[in-house]
Amino acid sequence: MKNEYIREEVLLLQGIDYTVLEKVTGECASRVYNALMHQHIEPGTKEAFNAYVSCLHQLYLMGVSMQLKLMGYHMTKIN
């Protein structure tokens, strides 16, 4: 499966890190699906597509944020 390849070969995750990523990914997917279903958007419409793309964008940003935090980066306010 593609997900396993990415986790094992690209991200080089094993053991607890592999399991934690799997749980976080599943939880995020579940919450996004729930949020989309509560919007009562008609499937197959432009609005549904835009909502789906918006969710993917936010998930991507969340993933980037998590990875940067793991790498030791942090946000600082610039005046």
Side-chain angles (χ1 to χ4, degrees):
M1 183 175 234
K2 291 179 183 180
N3 294 335
E4 292 170 350
Y5 174 80
I6 291 170
R7 286 185 298 219
E8 293 172 359
E9 303 297 326
V10 177
L11 298 175
L12 303 174
L13 296 176
Q14 297 176 356
I16 191 75
D17 291 335
Y18 185 96
T19 305
V20 168
L21 181 63
E22 189 171 40
K23 287 182 180 182
V24 168
T25 303
E27 182 65 25
C28 286
S30 176
R31 288 176 184 232
V32 166
Y33 178 76
N34 188 34
L36 281 173
M37 291 299 103
H38 279 85
Q39 294 296 314
H40 302 292
I41 300 171
E42 185 178 343
T45 63
K46 182 179 178 181
E47 186 179 15
F49 175 76
N50 288 335
Y52 175 71
V53 171
S54 292
C55 288
L56 289 178
H57 181 73
Q58 291 304 312
L59 288 170
Y60 175 79
L61 293 176
M62 183 65 169
V64 168
S65 174
M66 290 172 61
Q67 182 61 35
L68 288 173
K69 183 176 180 179
L70 285 172
M71 294 170 64
Y73 290 88
H74 60 277
M75 300 288 289
T76 55
K77 187 175 182 179
I78 299 175
N79 292 323

